[in-house]
Amino acid sequence: MEASSSLWGGLNSGIVLSLLAVVWTMLWQALQGLQLHHFFGRHSRRLTRHLASILDPDLTVTVAEYDGGRMRRSDAYKEAKAYLERATREARGSGGVRHLRAEPDKDPDRVLLSMDDDEEITDEFRGAVVTWRACTAPQREDTGLAYYWRGGAPRERRSYKLFFAERHRDLVLGEYLTHVRRQGRAVMVQNRQRKLFTNISGDGSWDSDGVWSHVVFEHPKTFATLAMDPAKKKEVMDDLDAFRNGKDYYARVGKAWKRGYLLYGPPGTGKSTMIAAMANHLDYDVYDIELTSVRTNTDLRKLFIETTSKSIIVIEDIDCSLDLTSKRKKKKKKKKKEKEEADKKDGKEEDKEKEDDKAGGSKVTLSGVLNFIDGLWSACGGERIIVFTTNHVEKLDPALIRRGRMDKHIEMSYCCVESFKFLAKVYLDVDDHPRFGAVAALLREVEMTPADVVENMTPKGPSEDADSCLAALVEALEKAKEDALMAKKKKAEGKKEKAGAADDTTTE
């Protein structure tokens, strides 16, 4: 009997333990489902924030230099920077800021002063006192674009941090930040310097800004001093004015606010000076893209995204920059195939690819350039003009220069009579001269660029006057006429000799 009781007690204890084990397993699984470590972590963070708010009751707003995953520089950051530059100047008089950074000013004899890293400045707005701090932190290597665009050298992350009391939350977030942006834009307009940008990194004399480097744009050429047919010049100016004032029109028809210009003609006909005149007429910045330095289509897109509105984006001599000609398809494809086969036979294909990567050759394609002009990304921002120049328009792929991409084609031709008279007035200050007739007659027979006309009639010393300069021009035109006739004669003789040789071959 006692043995049975003992056995029964043992069984009961085993059952209880088994039940407890099952219940504990179910309870443990349930607790794991609740993710207790997240629960405790969340509440510990709340406790930490509560303790931090007791020690530091200020709220913080961060204005980062880049937004959109570092795709473009933040407008809010630029406006806050401009606002704080003015606040820094005002605080400097009272000794409020001790560490300053100097940057070029619109006035060449002055500098713009801004807060250096980790410096602070206080500001007051309707009774609320706030504090701004300039912050800099190392860029994380895993941020993709930042690391890639710097060639493996991460760029520092800059930002401004705004500190203010909890009781001023509505005032700061609702009105003060709007006030900062508006005032910052006004300061930017007041201090604006037109700039010439390039995508080629410069030395210490260049001021780096994102993927672009820039200098102050100071080209003196205007339409008033541009040698061009007056009617054609007025047509270009009217077209530029219509574009600048066409925001509502472009919005109404559903087009991106941009326009393409193709400038073509022989070297020395004034394509680059035309761009300078356009920039001065519109008061736009100029972005000069060296296309051979752009590695991929993605790089090209990045460059476009970081351009600003009110700008002219230029690719000069585009026929020389990349293989964008209409003849490229068959010949290049055939040559490439033959070359690949030869490389495979020699076992050098892999080595060649490594050499190309090391050399940093451009892999920008025609498709990438077309998307750059009028793809989806071209609508990021507005009021941009895209200008291509070429000496050989017939070599360009028709898809590249069709209307809608290059909307206006402007031929920069040889010097005509009207252009010559304009140049004589500008460079010699003469409206008429006895030699004008001889010059006009020769210009109708001889092709000479405006650059050559200017060079030949520019005074070479204080003793030269308008008459001697025009005489030099007439002499140069006569020589050019003789050279042209001689070249024509040699060409005819060459054709005659080829024809004779062909006849002899046929006779034999």
Side-chain angles (χ1 to χ4, degrees), residues 43-308:
H43 284 279
S44 64
R45 285 193 295 271
R46 287 178 181 174
L47 179 61
T48 301
R49 287 197 297 270
H50 181 69
L51 293 175
S53 64
I54 295 175
L55 298 174
D56 183 8
D58 287 344
L59 302 182
T60 305
V61 172
T62 300
V63 184
E65 182 178 11
Y66 283 87
D67 55 17
R70 290 187 61 85
M71 290 294 285
R72 61 177 299 173
R73 209 163 184 239
S74 167
D75 290 335
Y77 178 87
K78 291 186 286 187
E79 291 157 359
K81 184 175 184 293
Y83 177 85
L84 293 173
E85 284 173 355
R86 187 180 67 177
T88 301
R89 288 196 300 271
E90 295 173 354
R92 183 170 55 90
S94 59
V97 180
R98 298 183 60 188
H99 304 287
L100 302 171
R101 176 182 295 154
E103 298 177 0
D105 188 27
K106 191 173 184 179
D107 184 346
D109 296 328
R110 301 180 60 186
V111 294
L112 285 175
L113 298 175
S114 58
M115 292 188 296
D116 204 354
D117 295 340
D118 297 323
E119 185 60 72
E120 292 186 353
I121 186 173
T122 58
D123 191 23
E124 184 176 353
F125 181 77
R126 298 185 182 177
V129 177
V130 301
T131 301
W132 289 91
R133 178 187 298 166
C135 300
T136 303
Q139 180 66 54
R140 296 189 302 272
E141 293 188 4
D142 59 350
T143 52
L145 283 175
Y147 194 72
Y148 173 72
W149 287 112
R150 290 292 159 184
R155 179 190 172 116
E156 293 180 330
R157 293 179 296 165
R158 292 189 173 89
S159 63
Y160 289 111
K161 290 188 181 295
L162 172 63
F163 302 91
F164 55 94
E166 169 72 33
R167 63 182 180 277
H168 299 313
R169 174 195 287 265
D170 294 338
L171 178 64
V172 171
L173 300 182
E175 299 181 42
Y176 177 67
L177 289 177
T178 301
H179 164 77
V180 168
R181 297 198 63 175
R182 287 175 179 171
Q183 293 296 315
R185 284 195 293 269
V187 174
M188 289 170 65
V189 171
Q190 181 181 358
N191 295 334
R192 180 175 180 265
Q193 291 178 288
R194 282 190 300 121
K195 299 174 182 177
L196 173 61
F197 293 85
T198 180
N199 58 308
I200 302 176
S201 299
D203 53 22
S205 63
W206 295 78
D207 182 14
S208 180
D209 182 12
V211 296
W212 293 97
S213 298
H214 69 262
V215 293
V216 177
F217 183 78
E218 297 177 324
H219 201 292
K221 181 59 67 176
T222 64
F223 280 111
T225 58
L226 182 67
M228 190 177 184
D229 179 80
K232 186 183 291 187
K233 186 190 299 186
K234 185 178 185 305
E235 179 186 343
V236 173
M237 295 171 67
D238 290 344
D239 190 80
L240 292 171
D241 290 336
F243 171 79
R244 177 171 51 188
N245 301 321
K247 182 178 181 180
D248 294 337
Y249 165 77
Y250 281 90
R252 179 168 58 83
V253 300
K255 291 177 60 178
W257 191 10
K258 64 178 182 59
R259 189 161 176 80
Y261 286 78
L262 175 67
L263 308 183
Y264 65 96
T269 52
K271 295 183 287 294
S272 296
T273 52
M274 163 67 87
I275 295 170
M278 294 168 67
N280 285 324
H281 180 75
L282 296 170
D283 195 26
Y284 282 8
D285 293 326
V286 177
Y287 289 84
D288 183 17
I289 298 180
E290 178 56 48
L291 205 55
T292 56
S293 296
V294 183
R295 294 178 57 193
T296 65
N297 294 334
T298 303
D299 292 12
L300 186 62
R301 186 183 305 125
K302 170 69 174 177
L303 287 169
F304 183 84
I305 292 170
E306 288 212 2
T307 61
T308 62

